[in-house]
Coordinates of all heavy atoms in Angstrom, one line a residue:
M12 N 26.5 -64.3 -14.3 CA 27.0 -63.1 -15.0 C 25.8 -62.1 -15.3 O 24.7 -62.5 -15.5 CB 27.7 -63.5 -16.3 CG 29.0 -64.2 -16.1 SD 30.3 -63.2 -15.4 CE 30.8 -62.3 -16.9
A13 N 26.2 -60.8 -15.3 CA 25.1 -59.8 -15.6 C 24.9 -59.8 -17.1 O 25.8 -59.7 -17.8 CB 25.6 -58.5 -15.1
K14 N 23.6 -59.8 -17.4 CA 23.3 -59.8 -18.8 C 23.1 -58.3 -19.3 O 23.1 -58.1 -20.5 CB 22.0 -60.6 -19.1 CG 22.3 -62.1 -19.0 CD 21.1 -62.9 -19.5 CE 21.5 -64.4 -19.5 NZ 20.3 -65.2 -19.7
H15 N 22.8 -57.4 -18.4 CA 22.7 -56.0 -18.9 C 24.0 -55.4 -18.9 O 25.0 -55.8 -18.4 CB 21.7 -55.3 -17.9 CG 22.2 -55.3 -16.5 ND1 22.0 -56.4 -15.6 CD2 22.9 -54.5 -15.8 CE1 22.6 -56.2 -14.5 NE2 23.1 -55.0 -14.5
P16 N 24.1 -54.2 -19.7 CA 25.4 -53.6 -19.8 C 25.9 -53.0 -18.5 O 25.2 -52.4 -17.8 CB 25.2 -52.4 -20.8 CG 23.7 -52.3 -20.9 CD 23.1 -53.6 -20.5
V17 N 27.1 -53.3 -18.2 CA 27.7 -52.9 -16.9 C 28.9 -52.0 -17.2 O 29.8 -52.4 -18.0 CB 28.2 -54.1 -16.1 CG1 28.8 -53.7 -14.8 CG2 27.0 -55.0 -15.8
P18 N 29.0 -50.8 -16.6 CA 30.1 -49.9 -16.9 C 31.4 -50.5 -16.3 O 31.4 -51.1 -15.2 CB 29.8 -48.6 -16.1 CG 28.7 -49.0 -15.2 CD 28.0 -50.2 -15.8
K19 N 32.5 -50.4 -17.1 CA 33.8 -51.0 -16.7 C 34.4 -50.3 -15.6 O 35.1 -50.9 -14.8 CB 34.7 -51.0 -17.9 CG 35.2 -52.4 -18.3 CD 36.0 -52.4 -19.6 CE 36.0 -53.8 -20.2 NZ 36.7 -53.8 -21.5
K20 N 34.3 -48.9 -15.6 CA 35.0 -48.1 -14.6 C 34.0 -47.2 -13.9 O 33.0 -46.8 -14.5 CB 36.0 -47.2 -15.3 CG 37.2 -48.0 -15.8 CD 38.5 -47.6 -15.0 CE 39.6 -48.6 -15.3 NZ 40.4 -48.3 -16.5
K21 N 34.3 -46.9 -12.7 CA 33.4 -46.0 -11.9 C 33.5 -44.6 -12.5 O 34.6 -44.1 -12.8 CB 33.9 -46.0 -10.4 CG 33.1 -45.1 -9.5 CD 33.8 -45.0 -8.2 CE 33.1 -44.0 -7.3 NZ 33.7 -43.9 -6.0
T22 N 32.4 -43.9 -12.6 CA 32.4 -42.5 -13.1 C 32.9 -41.6 -12.0 O 32.3 -41.6 -10.9 CB 31.0 -42.1 -13.6 OG1 30.5 -43.1 -14.4 CG2 31.1 -40.8 -14.3
S23 N 34.0 -40.9 -12.3 CA 34.6 -40.0 -11.2 C 33.7 -38.8 -11.0 O 32.8 -38.5 -11.8 CB 35.9 -39.5 -11.7 OG 35.8 -38.6 -12.8
K24 N 33.8 -38.2 -9.8 CA 33.1 -37.0 -9.4 C 33.2 -35.9 -10.5 O 32.3 -35.2 -10.9 CB 33.6 -36.5 -8.1 CG 33.0 -37.2 -6.9 CD 33.5 -36.6 -5.6 CE 33.5 -37.6 -4.5 NZ 34.3 -37.1 -3.3
A25 N 34.5 -35.7 -10.9 CA 34.8 -34.6 -11.9 C 34.0 -34.9 -13.2 O 33.5 -34.0 -13.8 CB 36.3 -34.6 -12.1
R26 N 34.0 -36.2 -13.6 CA 33.4 -36.5 -14.9 C 31.9 -36.2 -14.9 O 31.3 -35.6 -15.8 CB 33.7 -38.0 -15.3 CG 33.5 -38.2 -16.7 CD 33.8 -39.7 -17.0 NE 33.4 -40.0 -18.4 CZ 34.3 -39.8 -19.4 NH1 35.5 -39.4 -19.3 NH2 33.8 -40.1 -20.6
S27 N 31.3 -36.7 -13.8 CA 29.8 -36.5 -13.7 C 29.4 -35.1 -13.5 O 28.5 -34.6 -14.0 CB 29.2 -37.4 -12.5 OG 29.9 -37.1 -11.3
K28 N 30.3 -34.3 -12.7 CA 30.0 -32.9 -12.5 C 30.1 -32.2 -13.8 O 29.4 -31.2 -14.1 CB 31.0 -32.4 -11.4 CG 30.5 -32.6 -10.0 CD 31.4 -32.1 -9.0 CE 30.9 -32.4 -7.6 NZ 31.9 -32.1 -6.6
R29 N 31.2 -32.5 -14.6 CA 31.4 -31.9 -15.9 C 30.1 -32.1 -16.8 O 29.6 -31.2 -17.4 CB 32.6 -32.5 -16.6 CG 33.3 -31.6 -17.6 CD 34.4 -32.3 -18.3 NE 35.4 -32.9 -17.4 CZ 36.0 -34.1 -17.6 NH1 35.7 -34.8 -18.7 NH2 36.9 -34.5 -16.7
R30 N 29.6 -33.3 -16.8 CA 28.5 -33.7 -17.6 C 27.2 -32.9 -17.2 O 26.6 -32.3 -18.0 CB 28.2 -35.2 -17.5 CG 27.0 -35.6 -18.4 CD 26.9 -37.1 -18.5 NE 26.6 -37.7 -17.2 CZ 27.4 -38.6 -16.6 NH1 28.5 -39.0 -17.1 NH2 27.0 -39.1 -15.4
Y31 N 26.9 -32.9 -15.9 CA 25.7 -32.2 -15.4 C 25.9 -30.7 -15.5 O 24.9 -30.0 -15.5 CB 25.3 -32.7 -14.0 CG 24.8 -34.1 -14.1 CD1 25.4 -35.2 -13.6 CD2 23.6 -34.3 -14.9 CE1 24.9 -36.5 -13.7 CE2 23.1 -35.6 -15.0 CZ 23.7 -36.7 -14.4 OH 23.2 -37.9 -14.6
G32 N 27.1 -30.2 -15.4 CA 27.4 -28.8 -15.5 C 27.0 -28.3 -16.9 O 26.4 -27.3 -17.0
S33 N 27.4 -29.1 -17.9 CA 27.0 -28.7 -19.2 C 25.5 -28.7 -19.4 O 24.9 -27.8 -20.1 CB 27.7 -29.6 -20.3 OG 27.2 -30.8 -20.2
F34 N 24.9 -29.7 -18.8 CA 23.4 -29.8 -18.9 C 22.8 -28.6 -18.3 O 21.8 -28.0 -18.9 CB 23.0 -31.1 -18.2 CG 21.5 -31.2 -18.1 CD1 20.8 -31.6 -19.2 CD2 20.8 -31.0 -16.9 CE1 19.4 -31.7 -19.2 CE2 19.5 -31.2 -16.9 CZ 18.8 -31.5 -18.0
K35 N 23.3 -28.1 -17.2 CA 22.7 -27.0 -16.5 C 22.8 -25.7 -17.4 O 21.8 -25.0 -17.5 CB 23.5 -26.7 -15.2 CG 22.9 -25.8 -14.2 CD 23.8 -25.6 -13.1 CE 23.2 -24.5 -12.2 NZ 24.2 -24.2 -11.1
T36 N 24.0 -25.5 -18.0 CA 24.1 -24.3 -18.9 C 23.2 -24.4 -20.0 O 22.6 -23.4 -20.5 CB 25.6 -24.1 -19.3 OG1 26.0 -25.4 -19.9 CG2 26.5 -23.7 -18.2
K37 N 23.0 -25.6 -20.6 CA 22.1 -25.8 -21.7 C 20.7 -25.4 -21.4 O 20.1 -24.7 -22.2 CB 22.2 -27.3 -22.1 CG 23.0 -27.6 -23.4 CD 22.9 -29.0 -23.8 CE 24.0 -29.4 -24.7 NZ 24.0 -30.9 -25.0
T38 N 20.2 -25.9 -20.3 CA 18.8 -25.6 -19.9 C 18.7 -24.1 -19.7 O 17.6 -23.5 -20.0 CB 18.4 -26.4 -18.7 OG1 19.3 -26.2 -17.7 CG2 18.2 -27.8 -19.0
L39 N 19.7 -23.5 -19.1 CA 19.6 -22.1 -18.8 C 19.5 -21.3 -20.0 O 18.7 -20.3 -20.1 CB 20.8 -21.6 -17.9 CG 20.8 -21.9 -16.4 CD1 22.1 -21.6 -15.8 CD2 19.7 -21.1 -15.8
T40 N 20.4 -21.6 -21.0 CA 20.3 -20.9 -22.3 C 19.0 -21.1 -23.0 O 18.5 -20.2 -23.6 CB 21.5 -21.3 -23.2 OG1 21.5 -22.7 -23.3 CG2 22.8 -20.8 -22.8
K41 N 18.5 -22.3 -22.9 CA 17.2 -22.6 -23.5 C 16.1 -21.7 -22.9 O 15.3 -21.2 -23.6 CB 16.8 -24.1 -23.2 CG 16.9 -24.9 -24.5 CD 16.3 -26.3 -24.2 CE 16.5 -27.2 -25.3 NZ 16.0 -28.6 -25.0
L42 N 16.1 -21.5 -21.6 CA 15.2 -20.7 -20.9 C 15.3 -19.2 -21.3 O 14.3 -18.6 -21.6 CB 15.3 -20.8 -19.4 CG 14.6 -22.0 -18.8 CD1 15.0 -22.1 -17.3 CD2 13.1 -21.9 -18.9
S43 N 16.6 -18.8 -21.4 CA 16.8 -17.4 -21.8 C 16.4 -17.1 -23.2 O 16.0 -16.0 -23.6 CB 18.3 -17.0 -21.6 OG 19.1 -17.8 -22.4
E44 N 16.6 -18.1 -24.1 CA 16.2 -18.0 -25.5 C 14.7 -18.0 -25.7 O 14.2 -17.7 -26.8 CB 16.8 -19.1 -26.4 CG 18.3 -18.8 -26.7 CD 19.0 -20.0 -27.2 OE1 18.4 -21.0 -27.6 OE2 20.3 -19.9 -27.2
G45 N 14.0 -18.4 -24.7 CA 12.5 -18.3 -24.8 C 11.9 -19.6 -25.0 O 11.6 -20.0 -26.1
T46 N 11.7 -20.4 -24.0 CA 11.0 -21.7 -24.1 C 9.5 -21.3 -24.2 O 9.1 -20.2 -23.8 CB 11.2 -22.6 -22.9 OG1 11.1 -21.8 -21.7 CG2 12.5 -23.2 -22.9
K47 N 8.7 -22.3 -24.7 CA 7.3 -22.0 -24.9 C 6.7 -22.0 -23.5 O 6.6 -23.0 -22.8 CB 6.7 -23.1 -25.7 CG 6.9 -22.9 -27.2 CD 6.3 -24.0 -28.0 CE 6.7 -23.8 -29.5 NZ 6.3 -24.9 -30.3
L48 N 6.2 -20.8 -23.1 CA 5.6 -20.6 -21.9 C 4.1 -20.5 -22.1 O 3.6 -19.9 -23.0 CB 6.0 -19.3 -21.2 CG 7.5 -19.2 -20.7 CD1 7.9 -17.8 -20.4 CD2 7.7 -20.1 -19.5
S49 N 3.4 -21.2 -21.2 CA 1.9 -21.2 -21.3 C 1.4 -20.2 -20.3 O 2.1 -19.7 -19.4 CB 1.3 -22.6 -21.0 OG 1.8 -23.1 -19.8
I50 N 0.2 -19.8 -20.5 CA -0.4 -18.7 -19.6 C -1.4 -19.4 -18.7 O -2.2 -20.2 -19.0 CB -1.1 -17.7 -20.5 CG1 -0.1 -16.9 -21.4 CG2 -1.9 -16.7 -19.6 CD1 -0.6 -16.3 -22.6
C51 N -1.3 -19.0 -17.4 CA -2.1 -19.6 -16.4 C -3.6 -19.1 -16.6 O -3.8 -17.9 -16.7 CB -1.7 -19.1 -15.0 SG -2.8 -19.6 -13.6
P52 N -4.5 -20.0 -16.7 CA -5.9 -19.6 -17.0 C -6.6 -18.8 -15.8 O -7.5 -18.2 -16.0 CB -6.6 -20.9 -17.2 CG -5.8 -22.0 -16.6 CD -4.4 -21.5 -16.6
N53 N -6.0 -19.0 -14.7 CA -6.6 -18.3 -13.5 C -6.1 -16.9 -13.3 O -6.8 -16.0 -13.2 CB -6.3 -19.2 -12.2 CG -7.1 -18.7 -11.0 OD1 -8.3 -18.5 -11.1 ND2 -6.4 -18.5 -9.9
C54 N -4.7 -16.7 -13.3 CA -4.2 -15.4 -13.0 C -3.5 -14.8 -14.2 O -2.9 -13.7 -14.1 CB -3.3 -15.4 -11.8 SG -1.9 -16.5 -12.0
K55 N -3.4 -15.5 -15.4 CA -2.9 -15.0 -16.6 C -1.4 -14.6 -16.6 O -0.9 -13.8 -17.4 CB -3.7 -13.7 -17.1 CG -5.2 -13.9 -17.2 CD -5.7 -14.7 -18.4 CE -7.2 -14.7 -18.5 NZ -7.8 -15.8 -17.7
T56 N -0.6 -15.3 -15.7 CA 0.8 -15.1 -15.7 C 1.4 -16.2 -16.5 O 0.9 -17.3 -16.6 CB 1.4 -15.1 -14.3 OG1 0.8 -16.2 -13.6 CG2 1.1 -13.8 -13.5
K57 N 2.6 -15.9 -17.0 CA 3.4 -16.9 -17.9 C 4.0 -17.9 -16.9 O 4.7 -17.6 -16.0 CB 4.5 -16.2 -18.6 CG 4.0 -15.5 -19.9 CD 5.1 -14.8 -20.6 CE 4.6 -14.1 -21.8 NZ 5.6 -13.3 -22.5
I58 N 3.7 -19.2 -17.3 CA 4.2 -20.3 -16.5 C 4.7 -21.4 -17.4 O 4.4 -21.4 -18.6 CB 3.1 -20.9 -15.5 CG1 1.8 -21.3 -16.3 CG2 2.8 -20.0 -14.4 CD1 0.9 -22.3 -15.6
L59 N 5.6 -22.2 -16.9 CA 6.1 -23.4 -17.6 C 5.0 -24.4 -17.8 O 4.2 -24.6 -16.8 CB 7.3 -24.0 -16.9 CG 8.6 -23.3 -17.0 CD1 9.6 -24.0 -16.0 CD2 9.2 -23.5 -18.4
S60 N 4.8 -24.9 -19.0 CA 3.8 -25.9 -19.2 C 4.0 -27.2 -18.3 O 5.1 -27.5 -18.0 CB 3.7 -26.3 -20.6 OG 4.9 -26.7 -21.1
H61 N 2.9 -27.8 -17.9 CA 2.9 -29.0 -17.1 C 3.4 -28.8 -15.7 O 4.0 -29.7 -15.1 CB 3.6 -30.2 -17.8 CG 3.2 -30.4 -19.2 ND1 2.0 -31.1 -19.4 CD2 3.7 -30.1 -20.4 CE1 1.8 -31.1 -20.7 NE2 2.8 -30.6 -21.3
T62 N 3.3 -27.5 -15.2 CA 3.8 -27.2 -13.9 C 2.7 -26.4 -13.1 O 1.9 -25.8 -13.7 CB 5.1 -26.4 -13.9 OG1 4.9 -25.2 -14.7 CG2 6.3 -27.2 -14.3
V63 N 2.8 -26.5 -11.8 CA 1.8 -25.7 -11.0 C 2.2 -24.3 -11.1 O 3.4 -23.9 -11.1 CB 1.9 -26.2 -9.5 CG1 1.0 -25.5 -8.6 CG2 1.6 -27.7 -9.4
C64 N 1.2 -23.4 -11.2 CA 1.4 -22.0 -11.2 C 2.0 -21.5 -9.9 O 1.4 -21.8 -8.9 CB 0.1 -21.3 -11.5 SG 0.3 -19.5 -11.5
P65 N 3.2 -20.9 -10.0 CA 3.8 -20.5 -8.7 C 3.1 -19.3 -8.0 O 3.3 -19.0 -6.9 CB 5.2 -20.1 -9.1 CG 5.1 -19.7 -10.6 CD 4.0 -20.6 -11.1
K66 N 2.3 -18.6 -8.8 CA 1.6 -17.4 -8.2 C 0.3 -17.8 -7.5 O 0.1 -17.3 -6.3 CB 1.3 -16.4 -9.3 CG 1.3 -15.0 -8.8 CD 1.1 -14.0 -10.0 CE 1.2 -12.6 -9.5 NZ 1.0 -11.6 -10.6
C67 N -0.6 -18.6 -8.1 CA -1.8 -18.9 -7.5 C -1.9 -20.3 -7.0 O -2.8 -20.7 -6.3 CB -3.0 -18.6 -8.4 SG -3.0 -19.5 -10.0
G68 N -0.9 -21.2 -7.4 CA -0.9 -22.5 -6.9 C -1.9 -23.4 -7.5 O -2.3 -24.4 -6.9
K69 N -2.3 -23.2 -8.7 CA -3.3 -24.0 -9.4 C -2.7 -24.7 -10.6 O -1.8 -24.3 -11.2 CB -4.5 -23.1 -9.9 CG -5.5 -22.8 -8.8 CD -6.8 -22.3 -9.4 CE -7.8 -22.1 -8.3 NZ -9.1 -21.7 -8.9
Y70 N -3.2 -25.9 -10.8 CA -2.8 -26.7 -12.0 C -4.0 -27.4 -12.6 O -4.7 -28.1 -11.9 CB -1.8 -27.8 -11.6 CG -1.3 -28.6 -12.7 CD1 -0.5 -28.0 -13.7 CD2 -1.7 -29.9 -12.9 CE1 -0.1 -28.8 -14.8 CE2 -1.2 -30.7 -13.9 CZ -0.5 -30.1 -14.9 OH -0.1 -30.8 -16.0
R71 N -4.3 -27.0 -13.8 CA -5.5 -27.5 -14.6 C -6.8 -27.2 -13.8 O -7.6 -28.1 -13.6 CB -5.4 -29.0 -14.9 CG -4.2 -29.2 -15.9 CD -4.1 -30.6 -16.3 NE -5.2 -31.0 -17.3 CZ -5.4 -32.2 -17.8 NH1 -4.6 -33.2 -17.4 NH2 -6.3 -32.4 -18.6
G72 N -6.9 -26.0 -13.3 CA -8.1 -25.6 -12.6 C -8.2 -26.2 -11.1 O -9.2 -25.9 -10.5
R73 N -7.3 -27.0 -10.7 CA -7.3 -27.6 -9.4 C -6.3 -26.9 -8.5 O -5.2 -26.6 -8.9 CB -7.0 -29.1 -9.5 CG -7.3 -29.9 -8.3 CD -7.3 -31.4 -8.7 NE -6.0 -31.8 -9.4 CZ -5.0 -32.3 -8.8 NH1 -5.0 -32.4 -7.5 NH2 -3.9 -32.6 -9.4
Q74 N -6.7 -26.6 -7.3 CA -5.9 -26.0 -6.3 C -4.9 -27.0 -5.7 O -5.3 -27.9 -5.1 CB -6.7 -25.4 -5.1 CG -5.9 -24.4 -4.3 CD -5.7 -23.1 -5.0 OE1 -6.6 -22.5 -5.7 NE2 -4.5 -22.5 -4.9
V75 N -3.6 -26.9 -6.1 CA -2.6 -27.8 -5.6 C -1.9 -27.3 -4.4 O -1.8 -28.0 -3.4 CB -1.6 -28.1 -6.8 CG1 -0.6 -29.2 -6.3 CG2 -2.3 -28.6 -8.0
I76 N -1.5 -26.1 -4.5 CA -0.8 -25.5 -3.3 C -1.7 -24.4 -2.8 O -2.2 -23.5 -3.5 CB 0.6 -24.8 -3.7 CG1 1.5 -25.9 -4.4 CG2 1.3 -24.2 -2.5 CD1 2.5 -25.2 -5.3
N77 N -2.1 -24.5 -1.5 CA -3.0 -23.5 -0.9 C -2.2 -22.3 -0.5 O -1.5 -22.3 0.5 CB -3.7 -24.1 0.3 CG -4.9 -23.4 0.6 OD1 -5.1 -22.2 0.4 ND2 -5.9 -24.1 1.2
K78 N -2.3 -21.3 -1.4 CA -1.5 -20.1 -1.2 C -2.0 -19.3 0.0 O -1.2 -18.7 0.7 CB -1.5 -19.2 -2.5 CG -0.6 -19.8 -3.6 CD 0.8 -19.4 -3.4 CE 1.7 -20.2 -4.3 NZ 3.1 -19.9 -4.1
Q79 N -3.3 -19.3 0.2 CA -3.9 -18.5 1.3 C -3.4 -19.0 2.6 O -3.1 -18.2 3.5 CB -5.4 -18.5 1.2 CG -6.1 -17.4 2.0 CD -5.6 -16.0 1.7 OE1 -5.6 -15.6 0.5 NE2 -5.3 -15.3 2.7
K80 N -3.3 -20.3 2.7 CA -2.9 -21.0 4.0 C -1.4 -20.5 4.3 O -1.1 -20.2 5.4 CB -2.9 -22.5 3.9 CG -4.0 -23.1 4.7 CD -3.9 -24.6 4.7 CE -5.1 -25.3 5.4 NZ -5.0 -26.7 5.3
E81 N -0.6 -20.6 3.2 CA 0.8 -20.2 3.4 C 0.9 -18.7 3.8 O 1.7 -18.4 4.7 CB 1.6 -20.4 2.1 CG 2.0 -21.8 1.9 CD 2.6 -22.1 0.5 OE1 3.2 -21.2 0.0 OE2 2.5 -23.2 0.1
I82 N 0.1 -17.9 3.2 CA 0.1 -16.4 3.6 C -0.3 -16.3 5.1 O 0.3 -15.6 5.9 CB -0.8 -15.6 2.7 CG1 -0.2 -15.6 1.3 CG2 -1.1 -14.2 3.2 CD1 -1.3 -15.3 0.2
D83 N -1.3 -17.1 5.5 CA -1.8 -17.0 6.9 C -0.7 -17.5 7.8 O -0.4 -16.9 8.9 CB -3.0 -18.0 7.1 CG -4.2 -17.4 6.4 OD1 -4.2 -16.2 6.1 OD2 -5.2 -18.1 6.2
K84 N 0.1 -18.5 7.4 CA 1.2 -19.0 8.2 C 2.2 -17.9 8.5 O 2.6 -17.7 9.6 CB 1.8 -20.2 7.5 CG 1.5 -21.6 8.0 CD 2.3 -22.6 7.3 CE 1.7 -24.0 7.5 NZ 2.4 -25.0 6.7
I85 N 2.6 -17.3 7.3 CA 3.6 -16.2 7.4 C 3.2 -15.1 8.3 O 3.9 -14.7 9.2 CB 3.9 -15.7 6.0 CG1 4.6 -16.8 5.2 CG2 4.8 -14.5 6.0 CD1 4.6 -16.7 3.7
T86 N 1.9 -14.7 8.2 CA 1.4 -13.6 9.0 C 1.3 -14.0 10.5 O 1.6 -13.2 11.4 CB 0.1 -13.1 8.5 OG1 -0.8 -14.2 8.3 CG2 0.2 -12.3 7.2
K87 N 1.0 -15.3 10.7 CA 0.9 -15.8 12.1 C 2.3 -15.8 12.8 O 2.4 -15.4 13.9 CB 0.3 -17.2 12.1 CG -1.2 -17.2 12.3 CD -1.8 -18.5 12.2 CE -3.3 -18.5 12.1 NZ -3.9 -19.8 11.8
I88 N 3.3 -16.2 12.0 CA 4.6 -16.2 12.5 C 5.1 -14.8 12.9 O 5.7 -14.6 13.9 CB 5.6 -17.0 11.6 CG1 5.2 -18.5 11.5 CG2 7.1 -16.8 12.0 CD1 5.7 -19.2 10.2
K89 N 4.8 -13.9 12.0 CA 5.3 -12.5 12.1 C 4.6 -11.9 13.3 O 5.2 -11.1 14.0 CB 5.0 -11.7 10.9 CG 6.2 -11.9 9.9 CD 6.0 -11.0 8.6 CE 7.1 -11.2 7.6 NZ 6.8 -10.5 6.4
A90 N 3.3 -12.2 13.5 CA 2.5 -11.5 14.5 C 2.8 -12.0 15.9 O 3.4 -13.0 16.1 CB 1.0 -11.7 14.3
Ligands
ZN22 ZN1 -1.9 -18.8 -11.7

């Protein structure tokens, strides 16, 4: 026998979608109400804390996403 708690019934698609739907709206309202945004030390744009800066691709002074490479890729495809 299972010693951990086991759900009696399968969670329906509708039920789980309803649950995660409400979660989505909650996070959206939180963001619109103004979550605490930190400022990127490199380019001084507002970013979510504990995330890589979407503009320069740096996190804690370390280059995580190479933006210049991506730009080169795009220009190479276009040319
Ligand atoms: Zn940045």
Side-chain angles (χ1 to χ4, degrees):
M12 289 293 278
K14 284 188 177 173
H15 58 278
V17 178
K19 238 174 200 177
K20 290 246 167 81
K21 180 188 176 179
T22 312
S23 69
K24 279 181 203 169
R26 202 180 169 89
S27 52
K28 274 178 185 171
R29 205 186 304 144
R30 183 170 64 240
Y31 288 114
S33 69
F34 175 74
K35 195 183 172 186
T36 50
K37 256 184 195 173
T38 50
L39 279 172
T40 48
K41 253 188 183 177
L42 278 171
S43 61
E44 278 166 17
T46 46
K47 279 179 185 173
L48 291 166
S49 52
I50 296 155
C51 175
N53 192 50
C54 61
K55 310 282 188 274
T56 47
K57 280 179 182 176
I58 52 159
L59 281 168
S60 53
H61 307 286
T62 52
V63 179
C64 175
K66 208 173 183 184
C67 61
K69 277 197 173 184
Y70 181 67
R71 295 185 73 182
R73 192 164 53 92
Q74 196 74 42
V75 181
I76 304 158
N77 202 331
K78 286 278 166 185
Q79 196 56 48
K80 251 188 185 175
E81 280 176 27
I82 291 158
D83 287 345
K84 258 187 198 172
I85 292 158
T86 48
K87 268 177 191 172
I88 292 158
K89 274 182 182 174

